[in-house]
Amino acid sequence: MIETTTATGLSAKLPHPRYRLPLLGDILTTDFAKPCQRLAEQARELGPVFEQKLFGYPAIIVTGVEAVEEVNDESRWEKHVGHALTKLRPLAGDGLFTAYNSEPNWAKAHTILAPAFTKSAMANYHGAITHTVRELTDLWSTTPEWIDVPATTNKLTFEIIARAGFSHSFGSLADSNSGSFVEAMVRELAYANRRTDVLPLFDKVFRRDDHDRHKADLTHAHAVVDDIIEARTSDPHREYRDILDLMLDSVDPETGERLDTVNIRNQILTFLIAGSETSANTIAFALHYLSTRPDIAATVRAELDERWPTAEFPDIAYDDVAKFRSLRRVIDETLRLWPTGPGYFRRAKQDTTLSGRYRFAKKDWVLVLLLAAHRDPAWGPDADQFNPDRFLPDNIRGLPPRVYKPFGTGPRACIGRQFAHHEIAVTLAAVLHQFDLESDPSYDLDVRETLTLKPAGLRLRTHKRRR
C-alpha cells in the first residue's frame, strides 16, 4: 500500500488524472490504443510521480529524472516483471526477459549466456549480420515502389538473430512467404499488450477470434523452435559454435547444472522476440528521422564515405562500427526519443520512500515511463526534438545520471544490447552508404504501441546514390 506524507506529516494523495470515475477509474482520460504516449502527455502536468487507476487496478507512474534515478538504485529497488510482461509468459516462459527474479533459471541462463555477448563472440556474429544486411540492400536496390519499412526491418532483424544466434534461416528477405513466423510473433506482442484482459471473460466473449489466433500462434511458435532444437541435438557431427550450442553444451559453473530443453526454447523465443522487434523498430525510427533530416543524413554519409568512397557495398569490418561517431549519436538519440520499450517496471526491495514524500512498502511497484523521462526538461529546452548533437562528448557530461536507459537498468537490463547496437549500426551504415532516402511528404509519425514502440505506416523510397 502506497502512502504519501506532506512536509508536516499530514497525509496527501498521489496526483492522478481528472475525471476519475468510481469503479472504472481513469477510463475517460486513457488512450487505450496509445496508453504510454498518453501517460507521457499527462506527466507534463502530473509528474514526476502520479497514479493511474483502471477498473480498480492502480499503477504508479515515475517520469521525473530525479525520481527515476532513485528507483534505478539497485540497493532499494529491483526489476518487476509487471502485468504486461506476465502476459508474454505463455510464449516465452522463464526466458531472460520474462523470468521472475526468484526463478533459478534466470540466474543460471544469465551466467551461461554471458559469454555469448563478449567482444570475441560479437565478432563471430558480424559476418552473418553483414550478409543479411547485404540481402536487404540488394532487395531495396530493385524495389522502385514505396517500402513498408517496419515490416521489412522486422524480417531483417529476425533473420539476423536467427542466423547469427542459431544458425537457422526463416528464408530470404525477398521471399514473400518467409514472414509467417515473424508475423505470428508480432501478433503475440500485440496480444500481450491488450488492456481488456483485466475484464473477466471479455476476451473469450468479445475477442474470441483474437484469442483463438493467439493459441494458434503460440502452438506454431513452440513447434518451430522445438524443431530447431531437435535438429541441432540430433546432429552428431555438428560443428557450430553459436548461442544455441552454448545453451546446449554449457553448465552453470556454480551449480554444474545445464539449461533444460523447455528453458532453451524460452530463451530462443526471448531472443527472437525481444532481440528482433526492438532493433527493427529502432532502425525504422532512425530511417524516418534520417529521411526527413537530410542535413543529419549528410553528416553521417560524409563519415561513411571517408571510409568507403566508392559506390560498391561497403566492406564493413567488425572494428569499423565503433568508429562511426556521428552514426552512434543518431542511434542514441533515436533510442532516447523512442526507446526499445515505453518503460520498465521496478519493485521496492524494502520499505522505502520516493521523492522524499511517497512511502512504498516492500514489493510495491512502479512503472518508469521512459517516454517521459527521456524527454524531461533536464534534457534541454529541445527535449522533444531529434538532435543527435545532444550526445556529443561535451554535452553528455550535462545529462542526468542513471536516466538514459533504453535497454532497461541493473542486472536485468537487456543482455543483448551490444548485439542490438551492432546490428542497428551496420544496417544504417549500409543503407545510408548505398541509398538516398525519399520520405512520404504526407506522412506524420504515428507510433503504435505493443510491448514495443513502432512507427506505424512508415514508408520510404530508396534511390541508389550517385557519386
Side-chain angles (χ1 to χ4, degrees), residues 267-455:
Q267 304 301 349
I268 292 175
L269 284 167
T270 295
F271 284 123
L272 288 173
I273 298 169
S276 64
E277 175 86 359
T278 52
S279 296
N281 295 343
T282 301
I283 294 168
F285 278 118
L287 289 174
H288 164 72
Y289 287 116
L290 290 165
S291 70
T292 56
R293 290 292 305 274
D295 56 326
I296 296 175
T299 298
V300 178
R301 285 197 182 98
E303 188 177 58
L304 300 173
D305 290 347
E306 186 176 350
R307 175 67 179 85
W308 301 296
T310 64
E312 286 79 14
F313 184 87
D315 182 17
I316 306 174
Y318 174 77
D319 290 333
D320 286 334
V321 177
K323 299 173 184 176
F324 300 133
R325 303 302 173 84
S326 295
L327 181 60
R328 177 57 185 259
R329 289 194 291 273
V330 166
I331 296 169
D332 286 342
E333 178 69 346
T334 301
L335 285 166
R336 183 187 69 86
L337 288 173
W338 303 108
T340 57
Y344 52 85
F345 296 93
R346 301 285 285 170
R347 184 174 67 181
K349 298 169 74 170
Q350 60 201 36
D351 292 354
T352 188
T353 61
L354 180 59
S355 298
R357 61 183 303 219
Y358 302 114
R359 291 205 297 248
F360 286 76
K362 182 178 180 180
K363 296 189 177 181
D364 282 342
W365 59 269
V366 301
L367 168 64
V368 174
L369 187 63
L370 290 179
L371 275 180
H374 281 183
R375 298 170 186 240
D376 187 276
W379 290 89
D382 64 342
D384 284 326
Q385 304 302 313
F386 183 74
N387 178 14
D389 285 350
R390 197 183 316 275
F391 286 90
L392 284 167
D394 287 345
N395 295 335
I396 289 175
R397 298 185 186 96
L399 296 181
R402 286 200 291 189
V403 171
Y404 180 65
K405 297 291 183 178
F407 291 95
T409 190
R412 296 295 304 269
C414 175
I415 193 175
R417 54 193 178 275
Q418 294 303 322
F419 186 101
H421 268 292
H422 196 79
E423 66 177 329
I424 293 166
V426 170
T427 303
L428 293 176
V431 169
L432 286 175
H433 183 269
Q434 292 291 289
F435 302 111
D436 289 317
L437 305 173
E438 178 187 350
S439 62
D440 182 349
S442 66
Y443 180 72
D444 291 322
L445 185 59
D446 178 21
V447 180
R448 188 180 73 193
E449 296 184 24
T450 56
L451 294 177
T452 63
L453 301 163
K454 183 189 295 290

Side-chain angles (χ1 to χ4, degrees), residues 31 33-42 193 195 341-343 367 369 371-372 449-450 453:
D31 185 338
K34 301 179 179 182
C36 290
Q37 291 170 76
R38 176 60 178 146
L39 286 172
E41 292 174 359
Q42 293 171 323
N193 199 55
R195 303 294 290 270
L367 168 64
L369 187 63
L371 275 180
E449 296 184 24
T450 56
L453 301 163

Side-chain angles (χ1 to χ4, degrees), residues 210-242:
D210 289 345
H211 181 74
D212 291 345
R213 187 169 62 182
H214 155 66
K215 291 294 186 182
D217 286 340
L218 197 63
T219 300
H220 175 56
H222 286 173
V224 167
V225 175
D226 286 346
D227 287 346
I228 293 172
I229 297 171
E230 174 63 25
R232 184 66 60 87
T233 56
S234 64
D235 180 3
H237 305 294
R238 58 187 170 96
E239 297 179 357
Y240 312 112
R241 288 313 311 168
D242 57 15

Side-chain angles (χ1 to χ4, degrees), residues 146-255:
W146 290 103
I147 296 166
D148 182 337
V149 175
T152 309
T153 56
N154 256 123
K155 290 179 68 174
L156 169 75
T157 53
F158 259 96
E159 273 300 294
I160 285 175
I161 186 61
R163 295 178 188 183
F166 314 117
S167 304
H168 178 83
S169 175
F170 290 106
S172 165
L173 297 182
D175 182 1
S176 60
N177 297 317
S178 67
S180 62
F181 182 82
V182 178
E183 292 164 0
M185 295 301 93
V186 171
R187 286 195 299 268
E188 280 298 284
L189 283 172
Y191 187 79
N193 199 55
R194 72 200 187 283
R195 303 294 290 270
T196 55
D197 64 304
V198 299
L199 301 176
L201 302 179
F202 185 94
D203 285 348
K204 291 185 178 180
V205 175
F206 297 103
R207 297 187 62 177
R208 176 174 289 277
D209 289 347
D210 289 345
H211 181 74
D212 291 345
R213 187 169 62 182
H214 155 66
K215 291 294 186 182
D217 286 340
L218 197 63
T219 300
H220 175 56
H222 286 173
V224 167
V225 175
D226 286 346
D227 287 346
I228 293 172
I229 297 171
E230 174 63 25
R232 184 66 60 87
T233 56
S234 64
D235 180 3
H237 305 294
R238 58 187 170 96
E239 297 179 357
Y240 312 112
R241 288 313 311 168
D242 57 15
I243 297 174
L244 178 53
D245 277 323
L246 191 67
M247 289 191 287
L248 289 169
D249 298 340
S250 299
V251 299
D252 183 340
E254 294 186 5
T255 66

